[in-house]
Amino acid sequence: MTHRIHCIVGARPNFVKIAPIMRALATQPGMSARLIHTGQHYDAEMSRHFFEDLAIPDPDRYLGVGAGSHAVQTARIMELYEEVLDDERPELVLVVGDVNSTLACSLVAVKAGTQVAHVEAGLRSFDRTMPEEINRLLTDQIADLLLTSCRNADENLLREGIAAEKIHFVGNVMIDTLRQSLALAAGRAPLQQWGLEPAGYAVATIHRPANVDAAPGLERVLAILSGLGERLPVVMPVHPRTEKRIEALGQREQFAAVRRLRPTPPLRYLEFLDLMRQARLVLTDSGGIQEETSVLGVPCLTLRPNTERPITITAGTNRLVGTDPAAVLAAADEVLATPLPTEAPQIEGWDGAAAGRIAALLSTALGGS
Ligand code: UD1
């Protein structure tokens, strides 16, 4: 008997997580996984290039939801995914991460009586102003299997009253992808062409609504990048949200004037991995990059007041620095005055084998082949 599973993806960080899971499910006897792409991210730079770099099979269904307010985007995904679920009747729906597609498809599945497995369950920033925190809390409340990437997530779930037997520590699938891609990524970032030396530049990625949506946040980002550019060259792949806000808030000239700032369109996965691996320092407000820099042993300054990934601080290379320009630049100076770590930290379950554990667990949960 073959067990039918839907794997859901919508936005860029989902692609990085689903790649090793699709591969592991393809080799697990008795499992048949279909890939459903909601289309939350749709530009080639945000979507198709990731499928190519990560060798993800083409989606079996593409919902094409595109952009919209949170309510519109979530509702559209629910309407469209319900039709697909009714049509295909999978036994289990696997969702990853914390984007709107994660919550929308979980809600549809659970109300149709279909089991839901949530990969990267239990992460908490304890900041309910973040849309992702709401998506995480609600998805975890309704999922049947909560697959966690760090022990701290297990504790968060238990504290929220989730039954212990639903929680399974499996490790970090994003790190599976990173480990599988390192050799392929070597040489992909055009450092020479950009006039950069290994360990002689910083990388910045900034796209969270709290940092880019309103003028005060964006002005702080501008001040941070200006100060950093005084110290070393800064490569900044610009997320579409950030690009739109810079334009709408009339800040294009100010950003263009920042000394030694090299804005680029969003980079491909392998190019970005190679760029990050050789950086002296990474500044980010992303979630996944805090994890990736930890495994690469590259210092990371997170431009947020909190993180849902505290293990990257206690065991990795991450530091929470907020967004006050003076504080961020002081932290950058400390990093630049300290030699780069010679060894990358080892974190439990971030070993490249998480997807295999997930496939085995799902097979058991569905009653084997
Ligand atoms: C989403 C996720 C966030 C994740 C991020 C990674 C939610 C709530 N947020 O945020 O957790 O860290 O993805 O990138 O799900 N746009 C394009 N082209 C695209 C995709 C988006 O131009 O391919 C534009 C949209 O039109 C919109 C903006 O970028 O104006 C934001 O896109 P959206 O999907 O709403 O959320 P993100 O900010 O990308």
Side-chain angles (χ1 to χ4, degrees):
M1 171 179 173
T2 303
H3 298 291
R4 284 168 296 114
I5 297 183
H6 274 181
C7 292
I8 309 292
V9 289
R12 186 170 59 172
N14 295 165
F15 309 142
V16 185
K17 292 166 197 163
I18 214 69
I21 297 176
M22 290 299 288
R23 267 197 291 281
L25 288 174
T27 57
Q28 185 75 32
M31 307 280 258
S32 157
R34 285 171 63 78
L35 186 61
I36 317 295
H37 186 338
T38 65
Q40 182 176 339
H41 282 177
Y42 46 87
D43 287 348
E45 289 158 347
M46 300 296 284
S47 178
R48 186 166 51 75
H49 290 170
F50 278 68
F51 276 69
E52 290 169 6
D53 275 14
L54 301 172
I56 306 171
D58 285 342
D60 295 290
R61 303 287 282 256
Y62 183 75
L63 309 184
V65 293
S69 68
H70 284 282
V72 166
Q73 194 173 56
T74 309
R76 253 193 229 146
I77 298 169
M78 288 184 69
E79 277 186 62
L80 291 168
Y81 181 56
E82 189 172 51
E83 282 177 28
V84 175
L85 188 89
D86 281 349
D87 189 25
E88 302 196 355
R89 293 267 145 220
E91 278 169 79
L92 182 138
V93 175
L94 178 140
V95 295
V96 297
D98 55 15
V99 302
N100 288 339
S101 303
T102 310
L103 173 62
C105 294
S106 300
L107 263 174
V108 170
V110 110
K111 289 203 169 179
T114 309
Q115 285 193 69
V116 172
H118 183 206
V119 173
E120 207 184 76
L123 298 187
R124 296 290 180 270
S125 63
F126 303 101
D127 174 0
R128 293 200 180 191
T129 66
M130 286 178 75
E132 295 83 359
E133 182 76 353
I134 305 301
N135 292 342
R136 289 190 280 259
L137 278 161
L138 298 181
T139 302
D140 286 341
Q141 277 300 320
I142 57 177
D144 301 279
L145 285 172
L146 295 117
L147 311 180
T148 60
S149 55
C150 57
R151 298 285 178 189
N152 169 266
D154 298 27
E155 289 162 24
N156 291 337
L157 293 169
L158 290 170
R159 206 174 36 247
E160 287 168 18
I162 309 265
E165 55 271 21
K166 289 183 173 181
I167 305 170
H168 303 271
F169 173 75
V170 291
N172 192 329
V173 284
M174 199 167 213
I175 303 306
D176 286 12
T177 299
L178 183 148
R179 295 196 189 281
Q180 285 159 16
S181 307
L182 270 176
L184 266 180
R188 295 291 178 117
L191 293 196
Q192 266 190 341
Q193 193 185 314
W194 289 347
L196 302 172
E197 296 284 339
Y201 61 92
V203 174
T205 79
I206 296 150
H207 75 279
R208 294 247 160 253
N211 285 338
V212 303
D213 277 8
L218 202 60
E219 279 159 16
R220 281 195 296 273
V221 168
L222 183 66
I224 291 166
L225 294 172
S226 303
L228 199 63
E230 296 299 324
R231 291 154 170 86
L232 75 178
V234 184
V235 184
M236 179 178 174
V238 184
H239 187 284
R241 171 185 284 277
T242 310
E243 179 76 28
K244 286 183 184 170
R245 298 312 301 158
I246 290 175
E247 190 66 46
L249 294 169
Q251 297 272 327
R252 185 154 301 288
E253 277 176 31
Q254 288 86 327
F255 273 83
V258 174
R259 190 167 158 245
R260 293 202 287 183
L261 176 67
R262 172 181 286 280
T264 73
L267 298 178
R268 301 179 70 112
Y269 178 76
L270 295 173
E271 212 175 9
F272 185 71
L273 178 56
D274 195 39
L275 184 73
M276 193 165 46
R277 180 180 67 82
Q278 299 180 80
R280 181 68 181 83
L281 166 69
V282 171
L283 260 83
T284 193
D285 58 10
S286 145
I289 291 173
Q290 298 169 47
E291 298 181 343
E292 291 167 337
T293 47
S294 283
V295 169
L296 294 169
V298 173
C300 177
L301 299 180
T302 295
L303 305 181
R304 288 174 42 189
N306 52 52
T307 178
E308 60 289 329
R309 294 165 162 90
I311 188 112
T312 60
I313 297 176
T314 52
T317 58
N318 187 24
R319 215 170 127 178
L320 280 184
V321 291
T323 54
D324 169 51
V328 175
L329 293 170
D333 282 336
E334 271 177 43
V335 169
L336 295 175
T338 313
L340 276 170
T342 48
E343 275 183 30
Q346 298 295 320
I347 300 176
E348 185 190 3
W350 296 25
D351 56 356
R357 291 190 283 269
I358 291 173
L361 204 135
L362 294 186
S363 173
T364 308
L366 292 173
S369 53

